[in-house]
Each structure stands twice: as structure tokens, then as C-alpha cells.
Amino acid sequence: MAVPVAFFAVFFAYPVAAIVARGLKTDGAWRLGRIGEVLAQSDVRHVLWFTSWQALASTALTLLVALPGAYVFARFDFPGKQLLRAVVTVPFVLPTVVVGTAFLALVGRGGLLDELWGVRLDTTVWAILLAHVFFNYAVVVRTVGGLWAQLDPRQEEAARMLGASRLRAWRQVTLPALAPAVAAAALMVFLFTFTSFGVVQILGGPTFSTLEVEIYRQTSQLFDLSTAAVLTMVQFAAVAAILAVHAWTVRRRETALRLVDAATTARQPRGAGQWALLAGVLGTVLVLLVLPLAVLVQRSLGASGFGYYRALADEDGGAFLVPPIEAIGNSLQYAVAATAIAVVIGALAATALTRRDAGRFVRGFDALLMLPLGVSAVTVGFGFLIALDEPPLDLRSSWILVPLAQALVGVPFVVRTVLPVLRAVDGRLREAAAVLGASPWRVWREVDLPMVRRALLVAAGFAFAVSLGEFGATVFIARPDNPTLPVAVARLLGRPGDMNYGQAMALSTILMLVCAVALVVLERLRTDRSGEF
């Protein structure tokens, strides 16, 4: 535990505490009264209300749209199912900047809806809600569908034989069994939408602002660190509560059910109703998930073919000190380094968490590992600049600063992927190896590693995709001469002109394709029994 604890203490807890202290301390004295002053401001209360309201609305809408898809993937067997599963998962691994850009091309000024029917949604909250559904659809399908596929269908069939209608059997037998998974999925969607930054930053404009966007505005534009510190504390408290409830629902899901092999429950659709449901889900995937990405690609080509792509190699001397195309190489290099860090830290943490004699501190650290997913990435990025500015940790001019920030987000994915596999290893194998004289290192190398190798590769793929698209922290710490792809996209969208817009679409398409390739590799490595993230 020493290395993971030190890593999170130095590169997560210390920067966050530093920026909160910088905002709430004056001449060495804490100004706790500032908390009440900030929360009493009408514009801050409006941000808090909109953040909570849009997260609840996005969660409800995502469940409404995605639950039929979860049933189809769980219970139906049809041609192209594995390909469709990969298509559904693509939006989740896309950077939020790309998601916002894709919907901007669909519903924004000059977008597809504007050209066809003169309809624009980029000035309404509907653009944000639909983009959140687009991003989180796979969370519900994977989490709920993974459990649904393992529920024994004979229980519902027995209720039908005893006279229950199809609806009553589902309501009284299946729904109670699915409730923990639905709750876990809803909480994760709420967490992602509550802390939404890239989507709201691009689609919300000056009208709509979440806590994360407001922290960015107060920090980078108004330089009001005290307000940003208070908002960070509010977001931290909310995220901690969400993760506590999520941990409780996960424990219920793990202990309350008897499951069967998912491969035995899927069958061909029967009857007109089931075929209609399958067609409806396919149509939803096509319109909601595929269409925005297709429009993004179409806008990147424009009327000049690959002109926007060729323009990426030109130096403009404006927002970039280097040609925008260099952001591709920068992002790949940063992501590889961040993946290596995340795999090492995450694997060490997961190994420590599998010990049967782990104390309360170690078990508590399991929950703390999830905090970087919910705590403001903007706060972490700006905290890096404030905290890591003097020896022996003067890293402001070092390239490693970006991978360190990205690895913070990748570590939770590594732990969540590797930990279940390590816990499934029979402890007697380790004990037998130790009795035969193997050292702890040799036991890990020859017993655990062969069994967890595939999980480590899957975890590395997730960490790579997440690191590639990290935006909130990187926007602060990426140097002007070494921009990442998400930062370059945001800079191009912030400049007027068709050429800048087209180059943003081209870079977003490149980023989407790289993430899609990473996802295809993940699907090939994923074990047949892994039904969820």
C-alpha cells in the first residue's frame, strides 16, 4: 500500500488541499465564514440548482432510453450483437470534448438539424441532456444488462405458470433482483453528469454552468480562488456521498443473488413484440449514438474533402505555437506514460486490497480510489500548478505533470478491472506455493500474474482511452507548445472562422478513431464472462 498511498497523497490530496487552503486562508487564518458568503450568492445557488437538476434529469432520461437496450443485450441473441456492443460502448470511452463537438455538429448553428429544418438546440438544455444520454448509455447497458443476463429466467417463468401476467412477473420477480444494479448504474450516471465539464463547456455556452464549469470560470477567468475553493468543497462532499451510496448498492448486488451463466439465457427474439423491441433499440442506437458521430465525420470533411485535415499541419501563430497535428503525437505519448503509471499504481493497490488480513484503513482506501473520478479535475489541475512549484516537487516545467494528472483518472479503472479477478484466485494456490518455498514475489509472478494478465491488459486499455481524453486537468497544465488533442479541440472551437471549426471537427474525428481502435482491442481481450465494466 505504500506506493499507492504516497501517490494519492502527493498528487491528489496535496494539490486539492493546497488550492482549498489558498482560497480559504488569509495571513495564515482560515476564513470559514467565506463558505456561507459564497453559498448565499444567488448566482452560486443557481449553479448548484442547475447542476443537481440537470444531473437528475440526465439520469432519468438515460435510464428511460437505455433500459430497453439492457434487456435486448441480456436476453436476445442476434447477428452482429458483439459489433453492436462495441458501437454502444464507443461513446463512453470518447473524451467529453468530442461528445460536445459531435452534438455541436448535430444540433448547433450550421449543424445538421439547422440545415435540414432550421432547428437549433445548442442554446437549450436539451442539447446537454441528449449528450449526457449519448455518453452514459453504455453505463446502463453494461451494468444492468450484465446482471440481467445472469438472472435465471426460470424464476420469472415459474411466476407466469402460477398465473402472473408478464408485467406482474417482471415487477415482482425480475425488478427486485435488478434493483441494486439499476441503482448502481443510476448513481454512476448521476456522478458523471453531476461533474460534467467538457459537454457543458461546449454546449452550455454562457447560459448553463455546472459546478465543474463554474470552478473553471472562477479559477481561470475571474481568479477568485476563495469561491472556487468553496465550490470544490461542495462538490467533494456531494461526490463522497454518491460514492458511499454506490458502494452500498454494489455490496447488495454482490451478495443478494444467485446467478447463472450468461451464455445460457440469451435466445432468438420470438413474436412480433420482441422483434419490434429489437428494432426499436437498433433505431435508438442508430439515431442517438451513431448519427452524432457520423455528422462529426461529415463535418470534418466539409466541402473540400480532406482540406481541414491538411490544414492541421500548418502553423498559424495564433492559439498554437506548433502545428495542431502535433497534438496527436503529444496525446499518444502522454497517454502511454499515464497508462504505465496507472497500471503500476492500480495493480499494487488491487493486490493489497485482496489480502484477507487487510485492515480497516486498506478497505477504506478502496473507496477513496474512486474519488478522482468525481472531484473536480479543474481543481486538481490548478492545484498541480500551485502545489508542485518548489523543490523537491517543482514539476511545473516537466512533461511528466500531464501523465500524472491523467493517471489519477486511470487508476480507478485499473483497480475496478483487476480487483475482481485477483479476489477470484483461490488462496490455497498461493499458500501451496509458499509452503513449497516460493517468495512472495515469486508467488505473485507465477500464480497471480498468469491469471490476471488479461485483466491487466483490459485495464491498460481503459486507462489509455481515459488518459487520451482527459481534459479538465490537462487544460491547465498542458504547455502551449505541447497541447493534447482535447485541449487543441477546445482551443479551435473557441476561435471564430470556418477553418478553425473544421480543424476542430477533424481533430475530434482523429481522437474518436483512436479511442475506437482502443475499444476494439478491449473487446477482443475481454473475457466472455465479463459482463460489465
Side-chain angles (χ1 to χ4, degrees), residues 334 377-386 388 395-406 470-484 487 491:
Y334 288 144
V378 172
T379 299
V380 174
F382 197 63
F384 270 34
L385 297 181
I386 291 178
L388 307 179
L395 302 177
R396 287 177 301 174
S397 59
S398 173
W399 67 272
I400 197 64
L401 205 60
V402 174
L404 286 172
Q406 295 174 345
E470 204 287 322
F471 175 64
T474 308
V475 71
F476 274 96
I477 57 181
R479 296 167 55 181
D481 57 341
N482 285 291
T484 63
V487 172
R491 289 180 184 174

Short mmCIF file of all heavy atoms in Angstrom, two decimals, residues 334 377-386 388 395-406 470-484 487 491:
data_model
loop_
_atom_site.label_atom_id
_atom_site.label_comp_id
_atom_site.label_asym_id
_atom_site.label_seq_id
_atom_site.Cartn_x
_atom_site.Cartn_y
_atom_site.Cartn_z
N TYR A 334 1.72 11.11 -23.96
CA TYR A 334 1.22 11.32 -22.60
C TYR A 334 0.37 10.14 -22.15
O TYR A 334 0.47 9.69 -21.00
CB TYR A 334 0.37 12.59 -22.54
CG TYR A 334 1.17 13.88 -22.64
CD1 TYR A 334 0.65 14.99 -23.30
CD2 TYR A 334 2.42 13.99 -22.05
CE1 TYR A 334 1.36 16.18 -23.38
CE2 TYR A 334 3.14 15.18 -22.13
CZ TYR A 334 2.61 16.27 -22.80
OH TYR A 334 3.32 17.44 -22.87
N ALA A 377 -11.67 17.89 -11.73
CA ALA A 377 -10.38 17.78 -12.42
C ALA A 377 -9.75 19.15 -12.61
O ALA A 377 -8.52 19.28 -12.64
CB ALA A 377 -10.57 17.10 -13.78
N VAL A 378 -10.58 20.17 -12.72
CA VAL A 378 -10.07 21.55 -12.82
C VAL A 378 -9.31 21.91 -11.55
O VAL A 378 -8.22 22.50 -11.60
CB VAL A 378 -11.23 22.52 -13.06
CG1 VAL A 378 -10.76 23.96 -12.96
CG2 VAL A 378 -11.87 22.26 -14.42
N THR A 379 -9.87 21.54 -10.40
CA THR A 379 -9.20 21.80 -9.13
C THR A 379 -7.88 21.06 -9.04
O THR A 379 -6.87 21.61 -8.59
CB THR A 379 -10.12 21.37 -7.96
OG1 THR A 379 -11.33 22.13 -8.01
CG2 THR A 379 -9.45 21.60 -6.63
N VAL A 380 -7.86 19.81 -9.47
CA VAL A 380 -6.62 19.03 -9.44
C VAL A 380 -5.58 19.67 -10.35
O VAL A 380 -4.40 19.82 -9.96
CB VAL A 380 -6.90 17.58 -9.88
CG1 VAL A 380 -5.59 16.80 -10.00
CG2 VAL A 380 -7.82 16.89 -8.89
N GLY A 381 -5.98 20.06 -11.57
CA GLY A 381 -5.02 20.66 -12.49
C GLY A 381 -4.45 21.96 -11.97
O GLY A 381 -3.22 22.17 -12.01
N PHE A 382 -5.31 22.84 -11.48
CA PHE A 382 -4.82 24.11 -10.95
C PHE A 382 -4.04 23.88 -9.66
O PHE A 382 -3.07 24.60 -9.37
CB PHE A 382 -5.99 25.06 -10.71
CG PHE A 382 -5.57 26.50 -10.57
CD1 PHE A 382 -4.96 27.16 -11.61
CD2 PHE A 382 -5.77 27.18 -9.39
CE1 PHE A 382 -4.57 28.49 -11.49
CE2 PHE A 382 -5.39 28.51 -9.25
CZ PHE A 382 -4.78 29.16 -10.30
N GLY A 383 -4.46 22.87 -8.87
CA GLY A 383 -3.71 22.53 -7.67
C GLY A 383 -2.31 22.06 -7.98
O GLY A 383 -1.36 22.33 -7.22
N PHE A 384 -2.12 21.37 -9.11
CA PHE A 384 -0.77 20.98 -9.54
C PHE A 384 0.12 22.21 -9.70
O PHE A 384 1.28 22.21 -9.28
CB PHE A 384 -0.85 20.22 -10.86
CG PHE A 384 -1.00 18.72 -10.70
CD1 PHE A 384 -1.72 18.20 -9.64
CD2 PHE A 384 -0.43 17.86 -11.60
CE1 PHE A 384 -1.85 16.83 -9.48
CE2 PHE A 384 -0.55 16.49 -11.47
CZ PHE A 384 -1.27 15.97 -10.40
N LEU A 385 -0.42 23.24 -10.33
CA LEU A 385 0.37 24.44 -10.57
C LEU A 385 0.72 25.15 -9.27
O LEU A 385 1.80 25.75 -9.14
CB LEU A 385 -0.40 25.39 -11.49
CG LEU A 385 -0.70 24.88 -12.90
CD1 LEU A 385 -1.45 25.94 -13.69
CD2 LEU A 385 0.59 24.49 -13.62
N ILE A 386 -0.18 25.10 -8.30
CA ILE A 386 0.05 25.80 -7.04
C ILE A 386 0.95 25.00 -6.10
O ILE A 386 1.85 25.55 -5.47
CB ILE A 386 -1.30 26.10 -6.35
CG1 ILE A 386 -2.08 27.15 -7.14
CG2 ILE A 386 -1.11 26.57 -4.91
CD1 ILE A 386 -3.44 27.47 -6.58
N LEU A 388 2.84 21.99 -6.75
CA LEU A 388 4.08 21.37 -7.24
C LEU A 388 4.96 22.42 -7.90
O LEU A 388 5.35 22.31 -9.06
CB LEU A 388 3.74 20.24 -8.22
CG LEU A 388 2.75 19.20 -7.69
CD1 LEU A 388 2.48 18.14 -8.74
CD2 LEU A 388 3.26 18.56 -6.41
N LEU A 395 7.54 20.63 -10.51
CA LEU A 395 7.27 19.91 -11.76
C LEU A 395 6.55 20.76 -12.79
O LEU A 395 6.11 20.24 -13.81
CB LEU A 395 6.43 18.66 -11.46
CG LEU A 395 7.01 17.65 -10.47
CD1 LEU A 395 6.02 16.52 -10.23
CD2 LEU A 395 8.34 17.10 -10.97
N ARG A 396 6.43 22.06 -12.56
CA ARG A 396 5.63 22.90 -13.47
C ARG A 396 6.16 22.89 -14.89
O ARG A 396 5.38 22.99 -15.84
CB ARG A 396 5.59 24.33 -12.94
CG ARG A 396 4.72 24.52 -11.70
CD ARG A 396 4.79 25.95 -11.21
NE ARG A 396 6.15 26.34 -10.88
CZ ARG A 396 6.50 27.56 -10.54
NH1 ARG A 396 5.60 28.52 -10.51
NH2 ARG A 396 7.76 27.84 -10.23
N SER A 397 7.45 22.77 -15.06
CA SER A 397 8.03 22.78 -16.40
C SER A 397 8.33 21.38 -16.92
O SER A 397 8.92 21.24 -17.99
CB SER A 397 9.32 23.61 -16.41
OG SER A 397 10.27 23.08 -15.50
N SER A 398 7.92 20.36 -16.16
CA SER A 398 8.24 18.99 -16.55
C SER A 398 7.09 18.39 -17.36
O SER A 398 5.91 18.62 -17.07
CB SER A 398 8.50 18.14 -15.30
OG SER A 398 8.67 16.77 -15.65
N TRP A 399 7.43 17.58 -18.36
CA TRP A 399 6.41 16.92 -19.18
C TRP A 399 5.61 15.89 -18.40
O TRP A 399 4.47 15.56 -18.76
CB TRP A 399 7.07 16.23 -20.36
CG TRP A 399 7.95 15.07 -19.95
CD1 TRP A 399 9.26 15.12 -19.60
CD2 TRP A 399 7.54 13.71 -19.82
NE1 TRP A 399 9.71 13.87 -19.25
CE2 TRP A 399 8.67 12.98 -19.38
CE3 TRP A 399 6.35 13.03 -20.03
CZ2 TRP A 399 8.64 11.61 -19.14
CZ3 TRP A 399 6.31 11.67 -19.79
CH2 TRP A 399 7.44 10.98 -19.36
N ILE A 400 6.17 15.38 -17.28
CA ILE A 400 5.52 14.31 -16.53
C ILE A 400 4.27 14.79 -15.82
O ILE A 400 3.43 13.98 -15.38
CB ILE A 400 6.51 13.71 -15.51
CG1 ILE A 400 6.03 12.34 -15.01
CG2 ILE A 400 6.70 14.66 -14.32
CD1 ILE A 400 5.97 11.28 -16.05
N LEU A 401 4.09 16.11 -15.71
CA LEU A 401 2.94 16.65 -14.99
C LEU A 401 1.62 16.20 -15.63
O LEU A 401 0.66 15.85 -14.93
CB LEU A 401 3.02 18.18 -14.96
CG LEU A 401 2.30 18.89 -13.82
CD1 LEU A 401 2.85 18.44 -12.48
CD2 LEU A 401 2.44 20.40 -13.96
N VAL A 402 1.57 16.22 -16.96
CA VAL A 402 0.33 15.82 -17.65
C VAL A 402 0.02 14.35 -17.44
O VAL A 402 -1.10 13.99 -17.06
CB VAL A 402 0.42 16.18 -19.14
CG1 VAL A 402 -0.79 15.63 -19.89
CG2 VAL A 402 0.50 17.69 -19.33
N PRO A 403 0.97 13.40 -17.66
CA PRO A 403 0.66 12.00 -17.39
C PRO A 403 0.27 11.71 -15.95
O PRO A 403 -0.56 10.84 -15.68
CB PRO A 403 1.96 11.27 -17.76
CG PRO A 403 2.64 12.17 -18.73
CD PRO A 403 2.29 13.56 -18.30
N LEU A 404 0.84 12.44 -14.99
CA LEU A 404 0.48 12.23 -13.59
C LEU A 404 -0.99 12.58 -13.36
O LEU A 404 -1.72 11.84 -12.67
CB LEU A 404 1.38 13.06 -12.69
CG LEU A 404 2.82 12.58 -12.52
CD1 LEU A 404 3.64 13.62 -11.76
CD2 LEU A 404 2.87 11.24 -11.81
N ALA A 405 -1.42 13.71 -13.93
CA ALA A 405 -2.83 14.10 -13.79
C ALA A 405 -3.75 13.10 -14.48
O ALA A 405 -4.82 12.76 -13.96
CB ALA A 405 -3.03 15.50 -14.35
N GLN A 406 -3.36 12.64 -15.65
CA GLN A 406 -4.19 11.67 -16.36
C GLN A 406 -4.22 10.33 -15.66
O GLN A 406 -5.26 9.64 -15.66
CB GLN A 406 -3.65 11.50 -17.79
CG GLN A 406 -3.77 12.75 -18.65
CD GLN A 406 -3.09 12.61 -20.00
OE1 GLN A 406 -2.30 11.70 -20.21
NE2 GLN A 406 -3.39 13.51 -20.92
N GLU A 470 -8.62 12.92 -21.30
CA GLU A 470 -8.72 13.77 -20.12
C GLU A 470 -8.57 15.24 -20.51
O GLU A 470 -7.66 15.61 -21.25
CB GLU A 470 -7.63 13.38 -19.11
CG GLU A 470 -7.95 13.75 -17.68
CD GLU A 470 -7.85 15.24 -17.41
OE1 GLU A 470 -6.95 15.88 -17.96
OE2 GLU A 470 -8.66 15.76 -16.63
N PHE A 471 -9.45 16.09 -19.98
CA PHE A 471 -9.48 17.49 -20.41
C PHE A 471 -9.43 18.46 -19.24
O PHE A 471 -8.72 19.46 -19.28
CB PHE A 471 -10.73 17.74 -21.24
CG PHE A 471 -10.92 19.17 -21.65
CD1 PHE A 471 -10.02 19.80 -22.49
CD2 PHE A 471 -12.01 19.89 -21.20
CE1 PHE A 471 -10.18 21.12 -22.86
CE2 PHE A 471 -12.18 21.22 -21.56
CZ PHE A 471 -11.27 21.84 -22.39
N GLY A 472 -10.18 18.17 -18.16
CA GLY A 472 -10.34 19.14 -17.08
C GLY A 472 -9.04 19.58 -16.45
O GLY A 472 -8.81 20.78 -16.24
N ALA A 473 -8.16 18.64 -16.12
CA ALA A 473 -6.88 18.99 -15.51
C ALA A 473 -5.85 19.39 -16.56
O ALA A 473 -5.06 20.30 -16.36
CB ALA A 473 -6.36 17.80 -14.68
N THR A 474 -5.88 18.69 -17.71
CA THR A 474 -4.87 18.94 -18.74
C THR A 474 -4.96 20.34 -19.31
O THR A 474 -3.95 20.92 -19.71
CB THR A 474 -5.02 17.91 -19.88
OG1 THR A 474 -5.04 16.59 -19.30
CG2 THR A 474 -3.87 17.99 -20.86
N VAL A 475 -6.17 20.91 -19.35
CA VAL A 475 -6.32 22.25 -19.92
C VAL A 475 -5.52 23.28 -19.14
O VAL A 475 -5.12 24.32 -19.68
CB VAL A 475 -7.82 22.63 -19.97
CG1 VAL A 475 -8.36 22.90 -18.58
CG2 VAL A 475 -8.03 23.85 -20.87
N PHE A 476 -5.21 22.99 -17.87
CA PHE A 476 -4.42 23.91 -17.06
C PHE A 476 -2.92 23.68 -17.21
O PHE A 476 -2.14 24.63 -17.20
CB PHE A 476 -4.79 23.77 -15.57
CG PHE A 476 -5.96 24.59 -15.16
CD1 PHE A 476 -7.22 24.04 -15.11
CD2 PHE A 476 -5.82 25.92 -14.82
CE1 PHE A 476 -8.31 24.78 -14.72
CE2 PHE A 476 -6.90 26.69 -14.44
CZ PHE A 476 -8.16 26.12 -14.39
N ILE A 477 -2.53 22.43 -17.33
CA ILE A 477 -1.11 22.12 -17.18
C ILE A 477 -0.41 21.78 -18.49
O ILE A 477 0.82 21.69 -18.53
CB ILE A 477 -0.92 20.96 -16.19
CG1 ILE A 477 -1.69 19.72 -16.63
CG2 ILE A 477 -1.34 21.37 -14.80
CD1 ILE A 477 -1.57 18.55 -15.67
N ALA A 478 -1.17 21.57 -19.60
CA ALA A 478 -0.53 21.31 -20.88
C ALA A 478 0.15 22.58 -21.38
O ALA A 478 -0.47 23.66 -21.42
CB ALA A 478 -1.55 20.81 -21.90
N ARG A 479 1.39 22.49 -21.78
CA ARG A 479 2.14 23.66 -22.25
C ARG A 479 1.67 24.06 -23.64
O ARG A 479 1.24 23.21 -24.44
CB ARG A 479 3.62 23.35 -22.25
CG ARG A 479 4.18 23.07 -20.87
CD ARG A 479 5.57 22.47 -20.92
NE ARG A 479 6.50 23.29 -21.69
CZ ARG A 479 7.77 22.96 -21.88
NH1 ARG A 479 8.24 21.83 -21.39
NH2 ARG A 479 8.56 23.74 -22.58
N PRO A 480 1.73 25.36 -23.97
CA PRO A 480 1.26 25.82 -25.29
C PRO A 480 1.97 25.15 -26.47
O PRO A 480 1.39 25.01 -27.54
CB PRO A 480 1.55 27.33 -25.26
CG PRO A 480 1.58 27.68 -23.81
CD PRO A 480 2.16 26.47 -23.11
N ASP A 481 3.22 24.76 -26.26
CA ASP A 481 3.94 24.11 -27.35
C ASP A 481 3.78 22.59 -27.35
O ASP A 481 4.35 21.90 -28.20
CB ASP A 481 5.44 24.46 -27.29
CG ASP A 481 6.06 24.07 -25.95
OD1 ASP A 481 5.31 23.87 -24.98
OD2 ASP A 481 7.30 23.97 -25.87
N ASN A 482 3.00 22.06 -26.39
CA ASN A 482 2.73 20.62 -26.33
C ASN A 482 1.26 20.37 -26.00
O ASN A 482 0.94 19.73 -24.99
CB ASN A 482 3.62 19.93 -25.28
CG ASN A 482 5.06 19.79 -25.76
OD1 ASN A 482 5.34 19.01 -26.67
ND2 ASN A 482 5.95 20.54 -25.13
N PRO A 483 0.33 20.85 -26.81
CA PRO A 483 -1.09 20.65 -26.48
C PRO A 483 -1.52 19.20 -26.71
O PRO A 483 -0.95 18.49 -27.55
CB PRO A 483 -1.80 21.58 -27.47
CG PRO A 483 -0.88 21.64 -28.66
CD PRO A 483 0.51 21.56 -28.08
N THR A 484 -2.50 18.76 -25.95
CA THR A 484 -3.09 17.45 -26.19
C THR A 484 -4.28 17.61 -27.16
O THR A 484 -4.72 18.73 -27.44
CB THR A 484 -3.58 16.82 -24.89
OG1 THR A 484 -4.62 17.63 -24.33
CG2 THR A 484 -2.44 16.69 -23.89
N VAL A 487 -7.36 19.47 -25.61
CA VAL A 487 -7.06 20.89 -25.44
C VAL A 487 -7.04 21.60 -26.78
O VAL A 487 -7.55 22.72 -26.93
CB VAL A 487 -5.72 21.06 -24.70
CG1 VAL A 487 -5.29 22.52 -24.68
CG2 VAL A 487 -5.83 20.53 -23.27
N ARG A 491 -9.46 24.73 -28.00
CA ARG A 491 -8.89 26.00 -28.46
C ARG A 491 -9.42 26.36 -29.84
O ARG A 491 -9.75 27.52 -30.11
CB ARG A 491 -7.37 25.91 -28.50
CG ARG A 491 -6.71 25.88 -27.13
CD ARG A 491 -5.19 25.79 -27.25
NE ARG A 491 -4.54 25.67 -25.97
CZ ARG A 491 -3.23 25.48 -25.81
NH1 ARG A 491 -2.45 25.39 -26.89
NH2 ARG A 491 -2.70 25.37 -24.61
#
